[in-house]
Coordinates of all heavy atoms in Angstrom, one line a residue:
R1 N -21.3 -104.5 -15.3 CA -21.3 -105.5 -16.4 C -22.3 -106.6 -16.3 O -22.8 -107.1 -17.2 CB -19.9 -106.1 -16.6 CG -18.8 -105.1 -16.8 CD -17.5 -105.8 -17.2 NE -17.0 -106.6 -16.1 CZ -16.7 -107.9 -16.1 NH1 -16.9 -108.6 -17.2 NH2 -16.3 -108.6 -15.0
F2 N -22.5 -107.0 -15.0 CA -23.5 -108.1 -14.7 C -24.7 -107.6 -14.1 O -24.7 -106.6 -13.4 CB -22.8 -109.1 -13.8 CG -21.7 -109.9 -14.4 CD1 -21.1 -109.6 -15.6 CD2 -21.2 -111.0 -13.6 CE1 -20.1 -110.4 -16.1 CE2 -20.2 -111.8 -14.1 CZ -19.6 -111.5 -15.4
T3 N -25.8 -108.3 -14.3 CA -27.1 -107.9 -13.7 C -27.8 -109.2 -13.2 O -28.0 -110.1 -14.0 CB -28.1 -107.2 -14.7 OG1 -27.4 -106.0 -15.2 CG2 -29.4 -106.8 -14.0
I4 N -28.2 -109.2 -12.0 CA -28.9 -110.3 -11.4 C -30.4 -109.9 -11.3 O -30.7 -108.8 -11.0 CB -28.4 -110.7 -10.0 CG1 -29.0 -112.0 -9.6 CG2 -28.6 -109.6 -9.0 CD1 -28.4 -112.6 -8.3
S5 N -31.2 -110.9 -11.6 CA -32.7 -110.7 -11.5 C -33.4 -112.0 -11.1 O -32.8 -113.0 -11.2 CB -33.3 -110.2 -12.9 OG -33.0 -111.2 -13.9
R6 N -34.6 -111.8 -10.7 CA -35.4 -113.0 -10.3 C -36.8 -112.9 -10.8 O -37.4 -111.8 -10.9 CB -35.4 -113.2 -8.7 CG -36.1 -112.1 -7.9 CD -35.8 -112.2 -6.4 NE -36.3 -113.4 -5.9 CZ -35.9 -114.0 -4.8 NH1 -34.8 -113.5 -4.1 NH2 -36.4 -115.1 -4.3
D7 N -37.4 -114.1 -11.0 CA -38.7 -114.2 -11.5 C -39.4 -115.2 -10.5 O -39.3 -116.4 -10.7 CB -38.8 -114.7 -12.9 CG -40.2 -114.8 -13.5 OD1 -41.2 -114.7 -12.7 OD2 -40.4 -114.8 -14.7
N8 N -40.1 -114.6 -9.5 CA -40.7 -115.5 -8.5 C -41.8 -116.4 -9.0 O -42.0 -117.5 -8.5 CB -41.3 -114.6 -7.4 CG -40.2 -114.0 -6.5 OD1 -39.0 -114.4 -6.6 ND2 -40.6 -113.0 -5.7
A9 N -42.5 -116.0 -10.1 CA -43.5 -116.8 -10.7 C -42.9 -118.1 -11.3 O -43.6 -119.1 -11.4 CB -44.3 -116.0 -11.7
K10 N -41.7 -118.0 -11.7 CA -41.0 -119.2 -12.3 C -40.0 -119.8 -11.5 O -39.2 -120.7 -11.9 CB -40.4 -118.8 -13.7 CG -41.5 -118.3 -14.7 CD -40.8 -118.0 -16.0 CE -41.8 -117.6 -17.0 NZ -41.2 -117.2 -18.3
N11 N -39.8 -119.4 -10.2 CA -38.8 -119.9 -9.3 C -37.4 -119.8 -10.0 O -36.6 -120.8 -9.8 CB -39.1 -121.3 -8.8 CG -40.2 -121.3 -7.8 OD1 -40.9 -120.4 -7.6 ND2 -40.3 -122.5 -7.1
T12 N -37.1 -118.7 -10.6 CA -35.9 -118.6 -11.4 C -35.1 -117.4 -11.1 O -35.7 -116.3 -10.9 CB -36.2 -118.7 -12.9 OG1 -36.9 -119.9 -13.2 CG2 -34.9 -118.6 -13.7
V13 N -33.8 -117.5 -11.0 CA -32.9 -116.4 -10.9 C -32.0 -116.4 -12.1 O -31.6 -117.4 -12.6 CB -32.1 -116.4 -9.6 CG1 -31.2 -117.6 -9.5 CG2 -31.3 -115.1 -9.4
H14 N -31.7 -115.2 -12.7 CA -30.9 -115.0 -13.8 C -29.6 -114.2 -13.5 O -29.6 -113.4 -12.6 CB -31.6 -114.4 -15.0 CG -32.9 -115.1 -15.4 ND1 -32.8 -116.2 -16.2 CD2 -34.2 -114.8 -15.1 CE1 -34.1 -116.6 -16.4 NE2 -34.9 -115.8 -15.8
L15 N -28.6 -114.4 -14.3 CA -27.4 -113.6 -14.3 C -27.1 -113.2 -15.7 O -26.6 -114.0 -16.5 CB -26.2 -114.3 -13.6 CG -25.0 -113.4 -13.4 CD1 -25.2 -112.3 -12.4 CD2 -23.8 -114.2 -13.0
Q16 N -27.3 -111.9 -16.1 CA -27.0 -111.4 -17.4 C -25.5 -110.9 -17.3 O -25.2 -110.0 -16.5 CB -27.9 -110.3 -17.8 CG -27.6 -109.7 -19.2 CD -27.8 -110.6 -20.3 OE1 -28.8 -111.3 -20.4 NE2 -26.8 -110.7 -21.2
M17 N -24.7 -111.5 -18.1 CA -23.2 -111.1 -18.1 C -22.9 -110.5 -19.4 O -23.0 -111.2 -20.5 CB -22.4 -112.4 -17.9 CG -22.8 -113.1 -16.6 SD -21.7 -114.5 -16.2 CE -22.0 -115.6 -17.6
N18 N -22.5 -109.2 -19.4 CA -22.1 -108.5 -20.6 C -20.6 -108.1 -20.5 O -20.0 -108.1 -19.4 CB -22.9 -107.2 -20.7 CG -24.4 -107.5 -20.9 OD1 -24.7 -108.5 -21.5 ND2 -25.2 -106.7 -20.4
S19 N -20.0 -107.7 -21.6 CA -18.6 -107.3 -21.7 C -17.7 -108.3 -20.9 O -16.9 -107.9 -20.1 CB -18.5 -105.9 -21.0 OG -19.3 -105.0 -21.7
L20 N -17.9 -109.6 -21.3 CA -17.1 -110.6 -20.6 C -15.6 -110.5 -20.8 O -15.2 -110.2 -21.9 CB -17.7 -112.0 -21.0 CG -19.0 -112.3 -20.3 CD1 -19.7 -113.5 -21.0 CD2 -18.7 -112.8 -18.9
K21 N -14.9 -110.9 -19.8 CA -13.4 -110.9 -19.9 C -12.9 -112.3 -19.6 O -13.6 -113.1 -18.9 CB -12.9 -109.9 -18.8 CG -13.4 -108.5 -18.9 CD -12.9 -107.7 -17.7 CE -13.4 -106.2 -17.8 NZ -13.0 -105.4 -16.6
P22 N -11.7 -112.6 -20.0 CA -11.1 -113.9 -19.7 C -11.1 -114.2 -18.2 O -11.2 -115.3 -17.8 CB -9.7 -113.8 -20.3 CG -9.8 -112.8 -21.4 CD -10.8 -111.8 -20.9
E23 N -10.9 -113.1 -17.4 CA -10.9 -113.3 -15.9 C -12.2 -113.7 -15.4 O -12.3 -114.1 -14.2 CB -10.5 -112.0 -15.3 CG -9.2 -111.3 -15.8 CD -9.5 -110.4 -16.9 OE1 -9.7 -109.2 -16.6 OE2 -9.4 -110.8 -18.1
D24 N -13.3 -113.7 -16.2 CA -14.6 -114.2 -15.7 C -14.7 -115.7 -15.8 O -15.7 -116.2 -15.4 CB -15.7 -113.5 -16.5 CG -15.8 -112.0 -16.3 OD1 -15.6 -111.6 -15.1 OD2 -16.0 -111.3 -17.3
T25 N -13.8 -116.3 -16.5 CA -13.8 -117.7 -16.6 C -13.8 -118.4 -15.3 O -13.0 -118.2 -14.4 CB -12.6 -118.2 -17.4 OG1 -12.6 -117.7 -18.8 CG2 -12.6 -119.7 -17.5
A26 N -14.8 -119.3 -15.1 CA -15.0 -120.0 -13.8 C -16.2 -120.9 -13.9 O -17.0 -120.8 -14.9 CB -15.2 -119.0 -12.7
V27 N -16.4 -121.7 -12.9 CA -17.6 -122.4 -12.7 C -18.5 -121.5 -11.9 O -18.1 -121.1 -10.8 CB -17.4 -123.8 -12.0 CG1 -18.8 -124.5 -11.8 CG2 -16.5 -124.7 -12.8
Y28 N -19.7 -121.3 -12.4 CA -20.7 -120.4 -11.7 C -21.8 -121.3 -11.0 O -22.3 -122.2 -11.6 CB -21.4 -119.5 -12.7 CG -20.5 -118.4 -13.1 CD1 -19.3 -118.6 -13.9 CD2 -20.7 -117.1 -12.7 CE1 -18.5 -117.6 -14.3 CE2 -19.9 -116.0 -13.1 CZ -18.8 -116.3 -13.9 OH -17.9 -115.2 -14.3
Y29 N -22.0 -121.0 -9.7 CA -22.9 -121.7 -8.9 C -24.1 -120.9 -8.4 O -23.9 -119.7 -8.0 CB -22.2 -122.2 -7.6 CG -21.1 -123.2 -7.9 CD1 -19.8 -122.8 -8.1 CD2 -21.3 -124.6 -8.0 CE1 -18.7 -123.7 -8.3 CE2 -20.3 -125.5 -8.2 CZ -19.0 -125.0 -8.4 OH -18.0 -125.9 -8.6
C30 N -25.2 -121.4 -8.4 CA -26.4 -120.8 -7.9 C -26.6 -121.1 -6.4 O -26.3 -122.3 -6.0 CB -27.7 -121.3 -8.7 SG -29.2 -120.6 -8.2
N31 N -27.0 -120.2 -5.6 CA -27.1 -120.3 -4.2 C -28.5 -119.8 -3.7 O -28.9 -118.7 -4.2 CB -26.0 -119.6 -3.4 CG -26.2 -119.5 -1.9 OD1 -26.7 -118.6 -1.4 ND2 -25.7 -120.6 -1.2
A32 N -29.1 -120.5 -2.8 CA -30.4 -120.1 -2.2 C -30.2 -120.1 -0.7 O -29.7 -121.1 -0.1 CB -31.5 -121.0 -2.6

């Protein structure tokens, strides 16, 4: 359901979240 990706040229990481469920409710944190 989820896909993580990174763009090194932009110093950015993404998380594409599809088919979301109520159980996905949370605070989401980025980690390096």
Side-chain angles (χ1 to χ4, degrees):
R1 299 187 296 122
F2 291 10
T3 302
I4 189 170
S5 61
R6 65 190 295 157
D7 185 342
N8 287 347
K10 297 182 178 180
N11 283 16
T12 301
V13 61
H14 301 281
L15 184 68
Q16 178 66 47
M17 304 185 294
N18 299 326
S19 302
L20 283 162
K21 305 174 180 179
E23 308 91 88
D24 296 318
T25 296
V27 178
Y28 284 70
Y29 296 91
C30 181
N31 171 266

